[in-house]
Amino acid sequence: MKVAIAGCGQISSWHISALKEIGGIEIVALVDRDEQRARQMGALAPGARFYGDMAEMIRQERPASVHIL
């Protein structure tokens, strides 16, 4: 299942860690108004793409679930 994380503050690291332990989950995108913050959190989600705009991410990635943090 394709999952995205929206909001890359401190709590996002907990969500990413938990999602990585669930089989069949692919974290496809990290979204934050501050795209640089999304890129910094990317070290925890290899392969995820970074976005500064939620609508653009939805159009591009089509995730099954979005964790809004």
Side-chain angles (χ1 to χ4, degrees):
M1 176 171 51
K2 291 170 55 171
V3 175
I5 302 289
C8 294
Q10 251 183 342
I11 196 71
S12 64
S13 65
W14 289 90
H15 282 255
I16 292 168
S17 293
L19 287 168
K20 287 168 63 174
E21 291 189 25
I22 300 171
I25 299 291
E26 177 188 7
I27 301 171
V28 296
L30 300 171
V31 184
D32 199 285
R33 281 186 258 175
D34 178 352
E35 194 173 333
Q36 183 59 35
R37 186 160 47 170
R39 289 181 182 282
Q40 289 171 341
M41 197 54 65
L44 299 176
R49 286 165 290 286
F50 313 109
Y51 294 88
D53 179 81
M54 177 78 97
E56 179 64 20
M57 181 278 293
I58 296 290
R59 280 191 297 277
Q60 295 292 321
E61 303 297 336
R62 318 273 300 155
S65 175
V66 178
H67 288 229
I68 300 174
L69 310 175

